[in-house]
Amino acid sequence: MPDQRPPVSFVSQNIPTALTELIFRLKIKDVMSSDLVTAAKAETLRTIQHRMKEASITGVPIVEDKRLLGIVSMHDILTAFDEGTIDEAAESHMTRNIKVLEDDMPLSFAISYFNKYQYGRFPVLNKNRELCGIITIRDINTTLLREVNRIVEELEGELKQDASEDAVKGVASLQHYVVRHDFENAGRASADIKRILKKHGFDPQTIRRAAVASYELEMNLVVHSHGGRLSFRLDPEKIEIRTVDTGPGIPDVDKALEVGFSTANEWIRSLGFGAGMGLPNVKRVVDDFSLKSVMGKGTDATAIIKRP
């Protein structure tokens, strides 16, 4: 029989998933710098160059009544030195064809702009088309690092609380955040579950059943979903393995439980994955299996194995 010693609570947090969630949750106004250094169109490039040096920046927006007219970059300053126009007004040499972002856009828009245009900064406008900020790669990195550190601290606090409660109840638990198409790390959750069950003295047949169920559910997150969370819970009565994702959902739950049914595309199949969803295997090896799915929202699958 499995031992009854108080187990340890386990959690695995996948940082790429946390970053993805942050990127889609944060808006540009949460990240941008609103303490702006600007210049007027009549100011000389030499004056603007001194302003850049004092503020340690590489670009200055040219503004009139909060309206963005153009931008003077370090490239414009260097060109002016070469051509002897450094003492001329910014109006004649500023870049007018500017790519801008809006403060209410998701941060993902800004990241796509940086990847597409390879600029060092983008001006940000508010709903009144007034300049309200500047966003740089440094702003994004600093904000994401701060937010990830905050999330990690919150998780650590939750884990300490959960570990204390679980130790009293005789419960072991684990969570894995699974990334879409992350085949390199696929199978880690099921491997961790096997280790926990071995530590608690479960028989090989029960361990194999749990390993099959967890691996099939984990691979479903990798192959067929946008990514999600796999959770494992061991209590005095049962082993529970559950996966929850945010989409795209299963069009026909009954068909998904048929051998050979798959929602994988041809690219996934060419890699040797996705021939079937594996859900019939899960249902076969567990004592109780429930599957709920809503198109466009996600899927919730729970597998239960009763303790010997």
Side-chain angles (χ1 to χ4, degrees), residues 249-263:
I250 301 174
D252 190 326
V253 171
D254 291 332
K255 278 194 170 295
L257 294 172
E258 295 178 4
V259 176
F261 178 83
S262 176
T263 61

Side-chain angles (χ1 to χ4, degrees), residues 289-306:
F289 181 60
S290 65
L291 182 65
K292 301 175 184 177
S293 187
V294 178
M295 290 301 295
K297 293 187 177 181
T299 301
D300 186 332
T302 302
I304 302 292
I305 298 174
K306 297 177 182 178

Side-chain angles (χ1 to χ4, degrees), residues 1-5 196-203 206 234-236 239 306-308:
M1 290 292 292
D3 69 47
Q4 300 299 318
R5 291 172 294 176
I196 294 173
L197 295 178
K198 285 181 179 178
K199 179 181 177 181
H200 286 81
F202 277 83
D203 62 279
T206 302
L234 169 64
D235 63 34
I239 300 167
K306 297 177 182 178
R307 289 186 72 148

Side-chain angles (χ1 to χ4, degrees), residues 215-240:
Y215 181 78
E216 294 286 11
L217 290 174
E218 186 178 2
M219 287 304 298
N220 267 294
L221 292 180
V222 174
V223 175
H224 301 284
S225 80
H226 297 324
R229 185 182 74 252
L230 182 148
S231 60
F232 161 84
R233 182 178 173 85
L234 169 64
D235 63 34
E237 296 181 354
K238 63 184 180 302
I239 300 167
E240 179 182 288

Side-chain angles (χ1 to χ4, degrees), residues 15-281:
I15 292 301
T17 301
L19 281 174
T20 301
E21 292 175 352
L22 280 173
I23 288 168
F24 284 96
R25 175 171 59 82
L26 292 173
K27 294 185 180 295
I28 290 175
K29 61 186 175 185
D30 300 323
V31 178
M32 69 183 189
S33 299
S34 54
D35 186 14
L36 300 177
V37 176
T38 63
K41 61 183 180 181
E43 292 188 77
T44 66
L45 295 175
R46 188 183 298 276
T47 302
I48 294 173
Q49 184 260 331
H50 288 312
R51 197 166 299 165
M52 286 183 182
K53 184 177 180 181
E54 291 171 359
S56 299
I57 56 178
T58 58
V60 172
I62 308 303
V63 179
E64 184 175 67
D65 296 329
K66 296 185 180 181
R67 298 290 175 176
L68 180 65
L69 304 179
I71 194 166
V72 172
S73 67
M74 186 57 69
H75 175 75
D76 297 323
I77 297 296
L78 295 175
T79 301
F81 274 117
D82 290 340
E83 297 177 352
T85 58
I86 192 65
D87 290 310
E88 295 183 8
E91 183 179 17
S92 302
H93 300 279
M94 66 186 181
T95 301
R96 297 175 181 272
N97 185 20
I98 310 169
K99 302 296 181 183
V100 299
L101 293 164
E102 296 179 10
D103 64 348
D104 206 39
M105 286 179 171
L107 182 58
S108 57
F109 274 64
I111 294 175
S112 67
Y113 265 49
F114 280 110
N115 290 334
K116 181 176 181 179
Y117 297 108
Q118 301 294 308
Y119 292 164
R121 73 205 63 77
F122 288 98
V124 182
L125 307 182
N126 61 22
K127 61 182 179 181
N128 297 319
R129 307 303 293 174
E130 298 170 339
L131 180 69
C132 62
I134 291 283
I135 188 169
T136 66
I137 286 291
R138 182 179 179 181
D139 294 327
I140 294 174
N141 290 339
T142 300
T143 302
L144 290 180
L145 181 60
R146 182 181 68 246
E147 289 295 306
V148 167
N149 285 336
R150 180 184 59 79
I151 290 173
V152 169
E153 289 177 359
E154 290 178 355
L155 282 172
E156 287 176 346
E158 292 174 4
L159 290 179
K160 289 178 181 178
Q161 180 67 25
D162 291 344
S164 299
E165 294 176 358
D166 287 351
V168 173
K169 298 175 182 177
V171 173
S173 59
L174 171 148
Q175 287 192 67
H176 264 271
Y177 290 85
V178 182
V179 179
R180 180 188 189 189
H181 298 165
D182 184 11
F183 296 103
E184 182 178 349
N185 293 304
R188 285 192 175 184
S190 56
D192 286 347
I193 290 171
K194 287 174 64 177
R195 281 194 291 270
I196 294 173
L197 295 178
K198 285 181 179 178
K199 179 181 177 181
H200 286 81
F202 277 83
D203 62 279
Q205 182 181 3
T206 302
I207 294 174
R208 186 185 66 81
R209 293 169 64 198
V212 169
S214 58
Y215 181 78
E216 294 286 11
L217 290 174
E218 186 178 2
M219 287 304 298
N220 267 294
L221 292 180
V222 174
V223 175
H224 301 284
S225 80
H226 297 324
R229 185 182 74 252
L230 182 148
S231 60
F232 161 84
R233 182 178 173 85
L234 169 64
D235 63 34
E237 296 181 354
K238 63 184 180 302
I239 300 167
E240 179 182 288
I241 303 164
R242 182 185 181 192
T243 56
V244 179
D245 65 61
T246 56
I250 301 174
D252 190 326
V253 171
D254 291 332
K255 278 194 170 295
L257 294 172
E258 295 178 4
V259 176
F261 178 83
S262 176
T263 61
N265 58 34
E266 291 302 319
W267 174 70
I268 295 295
R269 291 172 185 265
S270 70
L271 297 176
F273 299 98
M277 296 190 73
L279 297 177
N281 287 340

